[in-house]
């Protein structure tokens, strides 16, 4: 028979692996009697583990959540996955979240067995963020937890939104649906009750006004899921579509392999050794034309006509710019679409054109 301490660790590991365990099955798995199982469960309770008895024909036990975090057991794969996730969080997060992840990573590494410490030590992960025009604002972990809790309990939120003083602004009211991260920033996807429309709020600009409001029945997210909806929002599409609002096809006088190296979100098809067809999307026709022009080669527009018109507009604009003048009555950048209310609220500015 294993020692009491080894038996307790084995019992704890089993209780963590599934929700309910019949007492007889635990006894069988551990090779002990039901009486010994009951005694070991009592010992775990004395150590602070909230093991509850489950009523039923067979009886059984369940490891519930407690008021404090007790010691946990992880198998080798779970321990490696946990350290990798903490490395990414420590290098990719901001502010208090990054500090907390770094401290948690240090704690986990201290208690890893030698065999696992060597495996994890050989894997060094560095999360490199895409350069941004403005630094990402730190996010309060408490706000993230409060927003996530409201999503789970389906409670209407009251909050101030903005970067400056909000004393003279009315509180916002929204039904929270998802807390998401996109390109290094945290967002709340919610139904804005004041505007009767979907909105994407930056979490670093949210100041909660507790208590939260009444419960609500969740609405379906446009597009069917939050990933599709959010992709469409940041691409400037409407109606929950994740596709670009403008998509066109051109022929380029370059090998397909060369174009493919600089095309992240497009279809490249080979026509001849030094010629290919490129289908690409963007947030406006002018930005799409500009993105294609960056390939610095001969271009033939296949369609649609709006893309040809965008090239003509850019050609005239560039000609006037090279000559040192702007046509009377044309404001520079006037071909860009006006920002939507949601884009202004997110503070993102104009969605940038795709970079080749």
């Amino acid at each position: 028979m294993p020692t009491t301490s080894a038996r307790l660790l084995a019992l704890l590991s089993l209780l963590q692996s599934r929700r309910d365990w019949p007492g007889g099955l635990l006894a069988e798995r551990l090779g002990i009697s039901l009486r010994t199982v009951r005694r070991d469960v009592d010992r775990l309770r004395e150590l602070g583990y909230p093991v509850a008895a489950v009523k039923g024909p067979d009886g059984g036990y369940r490891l519930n959540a407690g008021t404090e975090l007790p010691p946990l057991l992880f198998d080798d794969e779970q321990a490696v996955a946990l350290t990798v996730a903490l490395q990414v969080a420590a290098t990719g997060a901001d502010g208090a979240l990054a500090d907390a992840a770094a401290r948690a990573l240090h704690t986990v590494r201290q208690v890893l067995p030698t065999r696992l410490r060597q495996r994890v030590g050989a894997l060094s992960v560095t999360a490199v963020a895409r350069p941004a025009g403005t630094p990402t604002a730190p996010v309060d972990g408490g706000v993230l937890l409060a927003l996530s809790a409201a999503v789970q309990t389906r409670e209407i939120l009251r909050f101030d939104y903005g970067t400056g003083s909000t004393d003279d602004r009315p509180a916002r009211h929204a039904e929270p649906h998802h807390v998401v991260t996109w390109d290094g920033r945290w967002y709340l996807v919610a139904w804005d009750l004041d505007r009767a429309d979907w909105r994407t709020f930056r979490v670093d600009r949210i100041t909660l006004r507790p208590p939260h409001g009444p419960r609500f029945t969740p609405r379906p997210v446009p597009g069917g899921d939050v990933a599709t909806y959010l992709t469409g929002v940041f691409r400037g599409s409407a109606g929950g579509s994740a596709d670009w609002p403008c998509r066109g096809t051109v022929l380029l006088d370059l090998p397909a392999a060369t174009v493919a190296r600089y095309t992240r979100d497009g279809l490249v098809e080979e026509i001849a050794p030094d010629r290919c067809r490129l289908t690409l999307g963007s947030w406006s026709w002018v930005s799409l034309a500009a993105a294609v022009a960056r390939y610095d080669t001969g271009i033939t527009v296949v369609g649609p006509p709006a893309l040809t018109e965008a090239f003509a507009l850019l050609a005239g604009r560039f000609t006037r710019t090279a000559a040192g003048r702007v046509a009377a009555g044309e404001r520079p950048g006037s071909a860009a679409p006006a920002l939507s209310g949601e884009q202004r609220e997110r503070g993102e500015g104009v969605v940038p054109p795709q970079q080749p």
Side-chain angles (χ1 to χ4, degrees), residues 30 79 130 137 139-140 145 148 159 174 199 233 241 279-280 307 323 332 349:
L30 296 171
R130 187 174 64 183
V139 173
D140 187 339
L145 291 175
S148 299
F159 57 90
R199 286 291 188 269
V233 166
S241 172
T279 300
L280 200 62
L307 181 55

Side-chain angles (χ1 to χ4, degrees), residues 63 101 105 141 148 150 166 175-176 193 195 213 216-217 236 243-244 248 261 264 286 304 311 318 323 338 344:
L63 183 61
L105 179 60
S148 299
T166 57
E175 299 175 353
L193 292 170
R195 290 155 178 79
F216 65 91
T217 300
D243 198 7
W244 291 103
R261 286 202 302 268
R264 292 186 304 171
V286 171
F311 273 110
F318 290 165
R344 287 193 297 270

Side-chain angles (χ1 to χ4, degrees), residues 244-260:
W244 291 103
C246 302
R247 185 173 291 276
T249 301
V250 298
L251 303 180
L252 301 179
D253 296 335
L254 283 174
T258 301
V259 175

Side-chain angles (χ1 to χ4, degrees), residues 89-207:
T91 57
D94 295 300
L97 290 178
D99 293 339
R103 288 187 285 107
L105 179 60
H106 177 74
T107 301
V108 172
R109 279 175 168 167
Q110 289 291 100
V111 298
L112 285 176
T114 302
R115 67 180 188 281
L116 290 183
R117 192 179 300 118
Q118 292 174 348
R119 288 177 60 188
V120 171
L123 177 61
S124 180
V125 178
T126 300
V128 179
R130 187 174 64 183
T134 56
T136 303
V139 173
D140 187 339
V143 174
L144 280 177
L145 291 175
L147 293 177
S148 299
V151 170
Q152 294 297 321
T153 57
R154 301 175 180 177
E155 292 179 323
I156 293 176
L157 289 173
R158 296 173 63 249
F159 57 90
D160 296 320
Y161 190 69
T163 55
S165 174
T166 57
D167 294 340
D168 56 344
R169 303 180 193 174
R172 305 293 290 268
H173 301 80
E175 299 175 353
H177 283 257
H178 294 82
V179 175
V180 298
T181 179
W182 178 283
D183 200 19
R185 281 196 174 104
W186 290 92
Y187 295 91
L188 171 68
V189 176
W191 175 263
D192 191 322
L193 292 170
D194 303 311
R195 290 155 178 79
D197 198 3
W198 289 93
R199 286 291 188 269
T200 305
F201 300 98
R202 278 176 50 173
V203 172
D204 59 288
R205 297 183 173 183
I206 292 177
T207 303

Side-chain angles (χ1 to χ4, degrees), residues 305-341:
L307 181 55
T308 302
E309 295 171 3
F311 273 110
L313 176 61
L314 282 181
R317 186 175 296 166
F318 290 165
T319 299
R320 292 188 293 273
T321 300
R325 67 182 191 278
V326 177
E330 179 182 352
R331 178 174 59 86
S334 60
L339 294 180
S340 67

Side-chain angles (χ1 to χ4, degrees), residues 73-93:
L73 291 178
F74 298 101
D75 58 32
D76 288 7
E77 289 76 14
Q78 290 175 324
V80 171
L82 178 62
T83 54
V84 171
L86 288 173
Q87 281 191 63
V88 174
T91 57

